[in-house]
Amino acid sequence: MALAIHGGAGTILRSQMTPDLEREYRGGLETALKAGWAILESGGSSLDAVERAVISLEDFPLFNAGRGSVFTHAGEQEMDAAIMDGNNLRAGAVAFVKNIKNPVGLARLVMERTEHVLLAGEGANQFAEQIGVKAEPDEYFFTEHRWLQLQEAIAEGRVQLDHANSPPYEGGVAAASADGVVLSDAPPRKPIGTVGAVACDKNGHLAAATSTGGMTNKKFGRIGDTAIIGSGTYADQTCAVSCTGHGEYFMLAATAFDVAARMKYKSLSLEAAAQEAVDYLTTINGEGGLIAVDTSGKVTLPFNSDGMYRGSIAPGGAIEIEIYKTQ
Amino acid sequence: MALAIHGGAGTILRSQMTPDLEREYRGGLETALKAGWAILESGGSSLDAVERAVISLEDFPLFNAGRGSVFTHAGEQEMDAAIMDGNNLRAGAVAFVKNIKNPVGLARLVMERTEHVLLAGEGANQFAEQIGVKAEPDEYFFTEHRWLQLQEAIAEGRVQLDHANSPPYEGGVAAASADGVVLSDAPPRKPIGTVGAVACDKNGHLAAATSTGGMTNKKFGRIGDTAIIGSGTYADQTCAVSCTGHGEYFMLAATAFDVAARMKYKSLSLEAAAQEAVDYLTTINGEGGLIAVDTSGKVTLPFNSDGMYRGSIAPGGAIEIEIYKTQ
């Protein structure tokens, strides 16, 4: 049995953290780990454990998912989430849903109640309404620090992912042309802000779940990697993976599936496969990280950014929580 | 140099085809092949060639993409498309856009004018408007056979993918529950309806593009595999792949990326990797097929359904077009 979680990767520097804030973040991670672990310890499934852990992270206002979601350009909070059951290769996902307290739970309902994998936008909200998922008022999601982030981003004319403090994004090229409009007037800054969980239960069954509030000041119905099976979220009978970072690169690299592919086709260990997948991201200028678990309960949490909110728990209940790079 | 295209896979039986209709389909495929090939022959890029071939297929009303798109439950035509340039690993995609004559062209603009990979829904249409892509009126897309398909699907209470004539879908399970709503009152039938192209140009650069009008009577903002990089569309410096079939399975299997992964990590040939990817789909009850090309200009077009509208063209200009299974 094993459980690992993340609360986003990116520019997370000790110099910008206060002891109080760090304690809050660590508390949020610990609460989520304990919630998921309680399910595994009592014999529950990895699917239930990752959903429970991600719900806990969505409810925690400091992470960019659920309650703490950032604001879009239009001042709305649009959320993406996905969940995948590796044992039977089923998955569900939602993209830019609004007023849903726990998008990961709605993703699970897409998996269990529809013949589809991904529902998006108003249609996904209509589905939620029809199956009786209660909508939360805007006030539930409002957090002042996210609102201030939007005002700042609008003032600076940029799209911003959470934990974004580093130099301008260099890949992908939002090239202005003579007749062109670009998505932002200034280059967006680097990532990130996502939560996720992976678990192996007592039967060796694997599951992964990921949830995000997207990018501050985003426009045009952008869908990132979180809701994309194979990119931000993936689980099969080899491994379960949840990613966080600059989503577009994870989409181009199919990073979550890539970890499984390297294990299956190159016979690599979980750790080696995950490290290779992150190294590949680095070669294409993709910033972020991932958490992964295999059927033996091994866990790995590689990233190429300055930090990643992350934690894991192993039999015996030993909890490990880290934020920065470790030597 | 090489170019291959498809116009969808599924239950395509000789017994249900008239000579006139078959001639029309073959004509549509031939026109698209010639349009794409003219670009490759004059030294153009694989990216331009696949876009041109898919535009030709979108403009041809018998295929379920662009002009021939099927109707959603609400009587609308929502289209998905993606394009990927294997040489520099860039991609663009759109999901459920409306009134766009050539969704593949809009996908390319997402790639070239934004820092994003996937835009969906109204946001994608707003992007199109802002960069000056002209909206076509509903009448342009209206075809009587698609409208009749919707009325029939509504009457029978099912979601239908194009070329769907076989027994009810057995996987994925749209389980009704006590308080549950399911996406369709009767089981949806099997796939399909998509167009796509893959090409290798004189520099050995690869590209892939895919476009679809989705499923007749679909609801809830469902996004299938077409717009998902790694699932329905993928290209890198190893191969380019475009898929067609029951999209949800291609999403769970990350089929397009899987072909590349099996080539890169298992050192398989294009043909062997593509066949393995389709065989894997078969094991999880996924129906459909794919077209793929490698840097040497080899082409393969495997599928596990009764038929796939498909064609390819090789140096010397020899055109091969097939619809049914061949022995």
PDB file of all heavy atoms in Angstrom, chain B residues 201-223:
ATOM      1  N   ASP B 201       7.220  14.546 -45.466  1.00  0.00           N
ATOM      2  CA  ASP B 201       7.618  15.387 -46.595  1.00  0.00           C
ATOM      3  C   ASP B 201       9.041  15.066 -47.046  1.00  0.00           C
ATOM      4  O   ASP B 201       9.684  14.142 -46.537  1.00  0.00           O
ATOM      5  CB  ASP B 201       7.414  16.868 -46.264  1.00  0.00           C
ATOM      6  CG  ASP B 201       8.275  17.349 -45.096  1.00  0.00           C
ATOM      7  OD1 ASP B 201       9.363  16.768 -44.861  1.00  0.00           O
ATOM      8  OD2 ASP B 201       7.863  18.310 -44.422  1.00  0.00           O
ATOM      9  N   LYS B 202       9.537  15.825 -48.023  1.00  0.00           N
ATOM     10  CA  LYS B 202      10.839  15.490 -48.619  1.00  0.00           C
ATOM     11  C   LYS B 202      11.992  15.618 -47.624  1.00  0.00           C
ATOM     12  O   LYS B 202      13.060  15.047 -47.827  1.00  0.00           O
ATOM     13  CB  LYS B 202      11.093  16.335 -49.873  1.00  0.00           C
ATOM     14  CG  LYS B 202      11.357  17.814 -49.620  1.00  0.00           C
ATOM     15  CD  LYS B 202      11.587  18.534 -50.943  1.00  0.00           C
ATOM     16  CE  LYS B 202      11.626  20.036 -50.801  1.00  0.00           C
ATOM     17  NZ  LYS B 202      12.795  20.602 -50.158  1.00  0.00           N
ATOM     18  N   ASN B 203      11.764  16.344 -46.543  1.00  0.00           N
ATOM     19  CA  ASN B 203      12.793  16.447 -45.503  1.00  0.00           C
ATOM     20  C   ASN B 203      12.654  15.378 -44.425  1.00  0.00           C
ATOM     21  O   ASN B 203      13.381  15.391 -43.441  1.00  0.00           O
ATOM     22  CB  ASN B 203      12.712  17.829 -44.841  1.00  0.00           C
ATOM     23  CG  ASN B 203      13.005  18.947 -45.829  1.00  0.00           C
ATOM     24  OD1 ASN B 203      13.966  18.859 -46.599  1.00  0.00           O
ATOM     25  ND2 ASN B 203      12.171  19.984 -45.835  1.00  0.00           N
ATOM     26  N   GLY B 204      11.702  14.477 -44.608  1.00  0.00           N
ATOM     27  CA  GLY B 204      11.479  13.448 -43.599  1.00  0.00           C
ATOM     28  C   GLY B 204      10.751  13.969 -42.376  1.00  0.00           C
ATOM     29  O   GLY B 204      10.705  13.306 -41.334  1.00  0.00           O
ATOM     30  N   HIS B 205      10.170  15.157 -42.491  1.00  0.00           N
ATOM     31  CA  HIS B 205       9.388  15.715 -41.376  1.00  0.00           C
ATOM     32  C   HIS B 205       7.967  15.157 -41.426  1.00  0.00           C
ATOM     33  O   HIS B 205       7.389  15.016 -42.500  1.00  0.00           O
ATOM     34  CB  HIS B 205       9.349  17.246 -41.455  1.00  0.00           C
ATOM     35  CG  HIS B 205      10.693  17.879 -41.271  1.00  0.00           C
ATOM     36  ND1 HIS B 205      10.934  19.209 -41.516  1.00  0.00           N
ATOM     37  CD2 HIS B 205      11.875  17.359 -40.852  1.00  0.00           C
ATOM     38  CE1 HIS B 205      12.211  19.474 -41.259  1.00  0.00           C
ATOM     39  NE2 HIS B 205      12.796  18.375 -40.857  1.00  0.00           N
ATOM     40  N   LEU B 206       7.424  14.906 -40.238  1.00  0.00           N
ATOM     41  CA  LEU B 206       6.120  14.249 -40.133  1.00  0.00           C
ATOM     42  C   LEU B 206       5.064  15.189 -39.559  1.00  0.00           C
ATOM     43  O   LEU B 206       5.378  16.076 -38.765  1.00  0.00           O
ATOM     44  CB  LEU B 206       6.247  13.028 -39.226  1.00  0.00           C
ATOM     45  CG  LEU B 206       7.327  12.021 -39.621  1.00  0.00           C
ATOM     46  CD1 LEU B 206       7.460  10.940 -38.558  1.00  0.00           C
ATOM     47  CD2 LEU B 206       7.020  11.410 -40.984  1.00  0.00           C
ATOM     48  N   ALA B 207       3.811  14.948 -39.948  1.00  0.00           N
ATOM     49  CA  ALA B 207       2.695  15.705 -39.369  1.00  0.00           C
ATOM     50  C   ALA B 207       1.441  14.850 -39.412  1.00  0.00           C
ATOM     51  O   ALA B 207       1.322  13.945 -40.240  1.00  0.00           O
ATOM     52  CB  ALA B 207       2.477  17.013 -40.123  1.00  0.00           C
ATOM     53  N   ALA B 208       0.513  15.168 -38.513  1.00  0.00           N
ATOM     54  CA  ALA B 208      -0.768  14.459 -38.455  1.00  0.00           C
ATOM     55  C   ALA B 208      -1.880  15.467 -38.202  1.00  0.00           C
ATOM     56  O   ALA B 208      -1.671  16.487 -37.531  1.00  0.00           O
ATOM     57  CB  ALA B 208      -0.756  13.420 -37.337  1.00  0.00           C
ATOM     58  N   ALA B 209      -3.060  15.189 -38.753  1.00  0.00           N
ATOM     59  CA  ALA B 209      -4.239  16.032 -38.485  1.00  0.00           C
ATOM     60  C   ALA B 209      -5.483  15.160 -38.481  1.00  0.00           C
ATOM     61  O   ALA B 209      -5.559  14.171 -39.216  1.00  0.00           O
ATOM     62  CB  ALA B 209      -4.363  17.127 -39.543  1.00  0.00           C
ATOM     63  N   THR B 210      -6.446  15.527 -37.639  1.00  0.00           N
ATOM     64  CA  THR B 210      -7.686  14.766 -37.505  1.00  0.00           C
ATOM     65  C   THR B 210      -8.830  15.752 -37.296  1.00  0.00           C
ATOM     66  O   THR B 210      -8.629  16.819 -36.708  1.00  0.00           O
ATOM     67  CB  THR B 210      -7.590  13.799 -36.301  1.00  0.00           C
ATOM     68  OG1 THR B 210      -6.319  13.153 -36.304  1.00  0.00           O
ATOM     69  CG2 THR B 210      -8.681  12.736 -36.359  1.00  0.00           C
ATOM     70  N   SER B 211     -10.020  15.409 -37.782  1.00  0.00           N
ATOM     71  CA  SER B 211     -11.175  16.305 -37.637  1.00  0.00           C
ATOM     72  C   SER B 211     -12.444  15.471 -37.574  1.00  0.00           C
ATOM     73  O   SER B 211     -12.559  14.447 -38.253  1.00  0.00           O
ATOM     74  CB  SER B 211     -11.222  17.251 -38.844  1.00  0.00           C
ATOM     75  OG  SER B 211     -12.294  18.169 -38.741  1.00  0.00           O
ATOM     76  N   THR B 212     -13.402  15.900 -36.758  1.00  0.00           N
ATOM     77  CA  THR B 212     -14.640  15.123 -36.638  1.00  0.00           C
ATOM     78  C   THR B 212     -15.835  15.996 -36.316  1.00  0.00           C
ATOM     79  O   THR B 212     -15.692  17.077 -35.725  1.00  0.00           O
ATOM     80  CB  THR B 212     -14.504  14.031 -35.552  1.00  0.00           C
ATOM     81  OG1 THR B 212     -15.684  13.210 -35.570  1.00  0.00           O
ATOM     82  CG2 THR B 212     -14.376  14.644 -34.167  1.00  0.00           C
ATOM     83  N   GLY B 213     -16.996  15.523 -36.697  1.00  0.00           N
ATOM     84  CA  GLY B 213     -18.254  16.153 -36.301  1.00  0.00           C
ATOM     85  C   GLY B 213     -18.886  15.478 -35.103  1.00  0.00           C
ATOM     86  O   GLY B 213     -20.004  15.803 -34.724  1.00  0.00           O
ATOM     87  N   GLY B 214     -18.159  14.528 -34.487  1.00  0.00           N
ATOM     88  CA  GLY B 214     -18.631  13.932 -33.241  1.00  0.00           C
ATOM     89  C   GLY B 214     -19.700  12.871 -33.417  1.00  0.00           C
ATOM     90  O   GLY B 214     -19.757  12.178 -34.415  1.00  0.00           O
ATOM     91  N   MET B 215     -20.556  12.759 -32.416  1.00  0.00           N
ATOM     92  CA  MET B 215     -21.558  11.708 -32.372  1.00  0.00           C
ATOM     93  C   MET B 215     -22.943  12.298 -32.562  1.00  0.00           C
ATOM     94  O   MET B 215     -23.282  13.307 -31.940  1.00  0.00           O
ATOM     95  CB  MET B 215     -21.534  11.013 -31.011  1.00  0.00           C
ATOM     96  CG  MET B 215     -20.214  10.355 -30.688  1.00  0.00           C
ATOM     97  SD  MET B 215     -20.363   9.348 -29.201  1.00  0.00           S
ATOM     98  CE  MET B 215     -20.928  10.565 -28.040  1.00  0.00           C
ATOM     99  N   THR B 216     -23.766  11.633 -33.347  1.00  0.00           N
ATOM    100  CA  THR B 216     -25.154  12.044 -33.488  1.00  0.00           C
ATOM    101  C   THR B 216     -25.839  11.991 -32.116  1.00  0.00           C
ATOM    102  O   THR B 216     -25.679  11.018 -31.378  1.00  0.00           O
ATOM    103  CB  THR B 216     -25.900  11.096 -34.442  1.00  0.00           C
ATOM    104  OG1 THR B 216     -25.320  11.210 -35.742  1.00  0.00           O
ATOM    105  CG2 THR B 216     -27.383  11.468 -34.543  1.00  0.00           C
ATOM    106  N   ASN B 217     -26.565  13.051 -31.762  1.00  0.00           N
ATOM    107  CA  ASN B 217     -27.352  13.077 -30.533  1.00  0.00           C
ATOM    108  C   ASN B 217     -26.501  13.162 -29.272  1.00  0.00           C
ATOM    109  O   ASN B 217     -26.963  12.869 -28.179  1.00  0.00           O
ATOM    110  CB  ASN B 217     -28.288  11.863 -30.464  1.00  0.00           C
ATOM    111  CG  ASN B 217     -29.451  12.061 -29.489  1.00  0.00           C
ATOM    112  OD1 ASN B 217     -29.790  13.184 -29.127  1.00  0.00           O
ATOM    113  ND2 ASN B 217     -30.043  10.971 -29.044  1.00  0.00           N
ATOM    114  N   LYS B 218     -25.229  13.562 -29.382  1.00  0.00           N
ATOM    115  CA  LYS B 218     -24.410  13.637 -28.170  1.00  0.00           C
ATOM    116  C   LYS B 218     -24.826  14.824 -27.311  1.00  0.00           C
ATOM    117  O   LYS B 218     -25.384  15.805 -27.790  1.00  0.00           O
ATOM    118  CB  LYS B 218     -22.927  13.725 -28.518  1.00  0.00           C
ATOM    119  CG  LYS B 218     -22.447  15.098 -28.946  1.00  0.00           C
ATOM    120  CD  LYS B 218     -20.933  15.150 -29.092  1.00  0.00           C
ATOM    121  CE  LYS B 218     -20.511  16.434 -29.766  1.00  0.00           C
ATOM    122  NZ  LYS B 218     -19.524  17.219 -29.044  1.00  0.00           N
ATOM    123  N   LYS B 219     -24.520  14.705 -26.011  1.00  0.00           N
ATOM    124  CA  LYS B 219     -24.899  15.741 -25.048  1.00  0.00           C
ATOM    125  C   LYS B 219     -23.712  16.083 -24.152  1.00  0.00           C
ATOM    126  O   LYS B 219     -22.688  15.413 -24.168  1.00  0.00           O
ATOM    127  CB  LYS B 219     -26.007  15.217 -24.131  1.00  0.00           C
ATOM    128  CG  LYS B 219     -27.285  14.805 -24.806  1.00  0.00           C
ATOM    129  CD  LYS B 219     -28.275  14.353 -23.736  1.00  0.00           C
ATOM    130  CE  LYS B 219     -29.386  13.501 -24.321  1.00  0.00           C
ATOM    131  NZ  LYS B 219     -30.240  12.908 -23.272  1.00  0.00           N
ATOM    132  N   PHE B 220     -23.921  17.083 -23.318  1.00  0.00           N
ATOM    133  CA  PHE B 220     -23.062  17.328 -22.171  1.00  0.00           C
ATOM    134  C   PHE B 220     -21.625  17.691 -22.513  1.00  0.00           C
ATOM    135  O   PHE B 220     -20.724  17.432 -21.730  1.00  0.00           O
ATOM    136  CB  PHE B 220     -23.062  16.109 -21.239  1.00  0.00           C
ATOM    137  CG  PHE B 220     -24.412  15.794 -20.661  1.00  0.00           C
ATOM    138  CD1 PHE B 220     -24.922  14.516 -20.700  1.00  0.00           C
ATOM    139  CD2 PHE B 220     -25.177  16.801 -20.082  1.00  0.00           C
ATOM    140  CE1 PHE B 220     -26.170  14.222 -20.164  1.00  0.00           C
ATOM    141  CE2 PHE B 220     -26.424  16.518 -19.536  1.00  0.00           C
ATOM    142  CZ  PHE B 220     -26.925  15.229 -19.580  1.00  0.00           C
ATOM    143  N   GLY B 221     -21.389  18.283 -23.680  1.00  0.00           N
ATOM    144  CA  GLY B 221     -20.035  18.753 -23.963  1.00  0.00           C
ATOM    145  C   GLY B 221     -19.009  17.639 -23.991  1.00  0.00           C
ATOM    146  O   GLY B 221     -17.867  17.824 -23.578  1.00  0.00           O
ATOM    147  N   ARG B 222     -19.392  16.488 -24.512  1.00  0.00           N
ATOM    148  CA  ARG B 222     -18.457  15.370 -24.618  1.00  0.00           C
ATOM    149  C   ARG B 222     -17.310  15.717 -25.575  1.00  0.00           C
ATOM    150  O   ARG B 222     -17.522  16.225 -26.660  1.00  0.00           O
ATOM    151  CB  ARG B 222     -19.189  14.129 -25.128  1.00  0.00           C
ATOM    152  CG  ARG B 222     -18.275  12.928 -25.413  1.00  0.00           C
ATOM    153  CD  ARG B 222     -18.057  12.714 -26.911  1.00  0.00           C
ATOM    154  NE  ARG B 222     -17.342  11.464 -27.179  1.00  0.00           N
ATOM    155  CZ  ARG B 222     -16.912  11.099 -28.383  1.00  0.00           C
ATOM    156  NH1 ARG B 222     -17.148  11.863 -29.430  1.00  0.00           N
ATOM    157  NH2 ARG B 222     -16.264   9.973 -28.553  1.00  0.00           N
ATOM    158  N   ILE B 223     -16.093  15.468 -25.139  1.00  0.00           N
ATOM    159  CA  ILE B 223     -14.939  15.606 -26.014  1.00  0.00           C
ATOM    160  C   ILE B 223     -14.369  14.216 -26.246  1.00  0.00           C
ATOM    161  O   ILE B 223     -14.138  13.473 -25.294  1.00  0.00           O
ATOM    162  CB  ILE B 223     -13.872  16.537 -25.397  1.00  0.00           C
ATOM    163  CG1 ILE B 223     -14.455  17.959 -25.234  1.00  0.00           C
ATOM    164  CG2 ILE B 223     -12.618  16.581 -26.265  1.00  0.00           C
ATOM    165  CD1 ILE B 223     -13.485  18.958 -24.613  1.00  0.00           C
TER     166      ILE B 223
END
